[in-house]
């Protein structure tokens, strides 16, 4: 809404011309002043009236931003919101409902439902030429591609979203999208572009984003710096994020950033500092019943102790992580089962009421249908129960497998250290830090026999490829050669970490070491180069 200033000018003349002239001059000055003030008011009002799709959508969310509701409870509330929007034919609120449910299922890793609501949103958006709606859609489509680890497709969607946000003059979305483009370029190791887009985002954020969004941007930029092995800069920017979020008095988000700070200390091999902070966060998470934060805390502590060489402690925290993760997932399953039972009882009650209001032969027909429905419901519930039990057994089996693998690694490292010490006493040779680190990589999970079988199958698919790699890059180690072959198979970082038995951060560090030994330029994409090699 614009604010107008109304004013009147009174020119008074008398018999003395000098007085009239003075009054006229004074009034002209006032006129200039009033027009200047009017311009400022109109300009400020115009800036405040700038459309922010996300901000308006968040105002409409029936669930408070900081809510302790479970995922299934949030889905129920948002389904009711969407139902009302459809009934009232309010298509803007209908779009909000699709996006709310998209987020609920995305956060619960229910990706089929996530994609379903995105498709429904796409159909609705196609009816209108609304660039702000289109920008919101492309942002969420980029998230879907992130699920599939398709960073290039995600980047394309973010760039489309930025174009639409620019047309819509939605500066808040523009700033957020620039920051996401920066983070995505970092994921594909294109650090110059990542730095360029973050610099643009950083200029816009203070003008249009709130403090929580600015803190999140600095947290992401801290991660980007750590990807470049600049942990010192990463520590600087995570401290900025923590200081900003502390002003908002949001201990939950601060605990997430503090956890990232402890991870950076782990990477800097400041293990004592990392352990103290992790323990502090563990107590805070327990006292506040933040189980989702505790799951992450247990996992990162396990990585700390593994990096530190305290393997028994690492095993302890890996077990805590998976047990708590199973507990959380089990609670969600029980809640869904309870909902199914309530739904079943409600349907049964409604059918009984209808049966009492119709003729005898109609009643008999409906009773048969009801019995059929009950049978199907019982079969469905029994099937779901069996599937859940099977899933729980598989999860337990995976946990036992991981623990067994970690025990094997521990035993191998203990034997390696014993052999190394014996050899040192015999021929007085010292092993370098790089050799020690690489030996750890080479001894992970897969045995020589496993790799021999793997290489046999690999050579069948790519004849003489391993020889070509060794001839071209004779200085790379056996562990780096394994990483090279995994990248040739276009495996993602998470898959590489699983097959080599190391953390995702270790994969990133190994990639950087391999890049340096290959002599690749900073702008060159390691994945594309190896795929085309």
């Amino acid at each position: 809404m614009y604010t107008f200033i109304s004013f009147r000018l009174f020119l008074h003349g008398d018999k003395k011309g000098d007085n009239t002239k003075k009054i006229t001059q004074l009034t002209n000055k006032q006129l200039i002043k009033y027009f200047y003030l009017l311009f400022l008011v109109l300009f400020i009002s115009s800036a405040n009236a700038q459309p922010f799709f996300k901000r308006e959508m968040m105002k409409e969310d029936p669930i408070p931003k900081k809510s302790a509701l479970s995922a299934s409870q949030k889905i129920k509330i948002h389904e009711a919101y969407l139902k009302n929007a459809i009934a009232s034919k309010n298509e803007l609120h209908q779009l909000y409902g699709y996006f709310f449910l998209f987020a609920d299922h995305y956060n619960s890793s229910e990706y089929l439902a996530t994609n379903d609501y995105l498709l429904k949103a796409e159909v609705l958006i196609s009816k209108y030429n609304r660039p702000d709606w289109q920008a919101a859609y492309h942002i969420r489509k980029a998230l879907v591609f992130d699920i599939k680890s398709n960073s290039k497709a995600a980047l394309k969607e973010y760039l489309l979203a930025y174009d639409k946000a620019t047309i819509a003059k939605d500066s808040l979305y523009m700033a957020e999208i620039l920051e996401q483009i920066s983070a995505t370029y970092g994921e594909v190791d294109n650090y110059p572009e990542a730095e360029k887009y973050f610099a643009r985002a950083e200029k816009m954020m203070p003008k249009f984003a709130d403090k929580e969004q600015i803190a999140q941007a600095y947290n992401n930029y801290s991660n980007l710096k750590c990807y470049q092995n600049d942990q010192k800069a990463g520590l600087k920017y995570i401290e900025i994020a923590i200081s900003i979020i502390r002003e908002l008095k949001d201990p939950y988000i601060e605990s997430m950033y503090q956890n990232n700070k402890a991870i950076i200390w782990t990477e800097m091999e400041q293990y004592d500092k990392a352990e103290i902070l992790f323990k502090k966060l563990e107590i805070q998470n327990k006292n506040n019943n933040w189980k989702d934060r505790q799951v992450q805390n247990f996992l990162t502590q396990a990585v700390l102790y593994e990096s530190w060489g305290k393997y028994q402690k690492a095993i302890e925290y890996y077990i805590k992580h998976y047990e708590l993760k199973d507990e959380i997932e089990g609670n969600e399953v029980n809640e869904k089962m309870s909902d199914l039972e309530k739904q079943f009882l409600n349907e049964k009650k409604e059918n009984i009421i209808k049966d009492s209001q119709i003729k005898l032969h109609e009643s008999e027909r409906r009773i048969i249908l009801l019995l059929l429905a009950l049978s199907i419901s019982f079969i469905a519930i029994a099937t779901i129960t069996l599937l859940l039990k099977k899933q729980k057994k598989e999860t337990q089996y995976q946990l036992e497998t991981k623990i067994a693998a970690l025990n094997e690694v521990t035993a191998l490292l203990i034997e390696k250290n014993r052999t190394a010490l014996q050899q040192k006493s015999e021929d007085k040779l010292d092993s370098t830090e790089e050799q020690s680190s690489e030996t750890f990589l080479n001894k992970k999970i897969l045995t020589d026999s496993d790799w021999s079988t793997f290489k046999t199958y690999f050579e069948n698919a790519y004849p003489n490829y391993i020889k070509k790699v060794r001839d071209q890059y004779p200085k790379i180690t056996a562990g780096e050669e394994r990483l090279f072959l995994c990248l040739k198979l276009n495996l993602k970082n998470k898959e590489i970490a699983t097959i080599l038995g190391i953390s995702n951060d270790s994969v990133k560090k190994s990639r950087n070491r391999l890049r340096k030994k290959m002599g690749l330029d900073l702008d060159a994409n390691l994945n594309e180069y190896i795929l085309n090699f």
Side-chain angles (χ1 to χ4, degrees), residues 189-207:
D189 298 341
N190 191 338
Y191 300 126
E193 286 296 307
E195 295 282 358
K196 182 178 74 175
Y197 276 94
F198 181 81
R200 292 174 61 186
E202 190 176 24
K203 290 180 181 178
M204 296 185 69
M205 282 283 185
K207 297 179 183 178

Side-chain angles (χ1 to χ4, degrees), residues 9 105 172 308 317 319 369 381:
L9 296 178
H105 290 288
L172 174 57
W308 204 349
Y317 275 93
I319 292 173
L369 291 175
I381 293 172

Side-chain angles (χ1 to χ4, degrees), residues 482-497:
R482 295 175 184 179
L483 175 61
F484 199 111
L485 300 185
C486 289
L487 292 173
K488 176 63 179 176
L489 296 180
N490 202 22
L491 298 179
K492 306 303 177 186
N493 280 2
K494 185 177 180 180
E495 296 168 326
I496 295 173

Side-chain angles (χ1 to χ4, degrees), residues 61-103:
D61 194 344
I63 299 176
K65 188 174 182 180
K66 298 174 184 177
S67 172
L69 295 175
S70 67
S72 58
Q73 289 172 328
K74 291 178 180 178
I75 289 172
K76 280 184 187 177
I77 294 172
H78 285 146
E79 283 176 342
Y81 175 91
L82 177 60
K83 185 178 180 180
N84 291 335
I86 294 173
S88 61
K89 298 182 180 180
N90 188 328
E91 292 188 313
L92 176 59
H93 288 181
Q94 187 176 338
L95 181 62
Y96 289 165
Y98 290 145
F99 285 161
F100 291 151
L101 288 164
F102 172 93

Side-chain angles (χ1 to χ4, degrees), residues 297-403:
N297 175 270
F298 286 157
L299 180 61
T300 48
Q301 281 200 74
V303 173
L304 161 68
Y305 288 122
E306 184 178 349
S307 302
W308 204 349
K310 297 184 177 182
Y311 300 107
Q312 291 301 323
K313 293 288 288 184
I315 293 172
E316 176 186 339
Y317 275 93
Y318 274 123
I319 292 173
K320 286 183 177 182
H321 165 74
Y322 285 106
E323 285 181 345
L324 183 56
K325 185 178 179 183
D326 284 346
E327 177 188 335
I328 293 172
E329 292 174 351
N331 290 338
E332 286 290 330
V333 169
N334 290 335
E335 192 170 342
K336 289 179 181 179
M337 290 291 293
S338 177
D339 290 342
L340 282 174
E341 291 175 359
K342 289 178 182 178
Q343 182 180 353
F344 165 71
L345 291 174
N346 288 335
E347 289 178 358
K348 180 180 178 181
K349 183 178 179 180
E350 290 174 4
N351 284 326
I352 292 173
I353 293 173
K354 290 179 181 179
D355 288 343
S356 65
Q357 297 174 347
I358 59 176
K359 295 180 181 180
L360 181 60
H361 66 277
E362 191 68 19
S363 297
E364 293 174 352
R365 187 179 69 87
R366 288 184 178 273
I367 289 172
I368 293 172
L369 291 175
L370 176 60
L371 292 174
L372 181 61
L374 292 175
S375 299
I376 293 173
S377 298
F378 279 123
I379 292 171
I381 293 172
T383 302
I384 292 172
T385 303
L386 290 174
L387 289 174
L388 292 175
K389 287 182 178 179
K390 182 179 179 183
Q391 182 182 10
K392 187 172 182 180
K393 288 182 180 179
E394 290 177 352
T395 303
Q396 183 66 26
Y397 175 75
Q398 291 174 0
L399 173 61
E400 292 172 356
T401 302
K402 291 178 182 291
I403 295 173

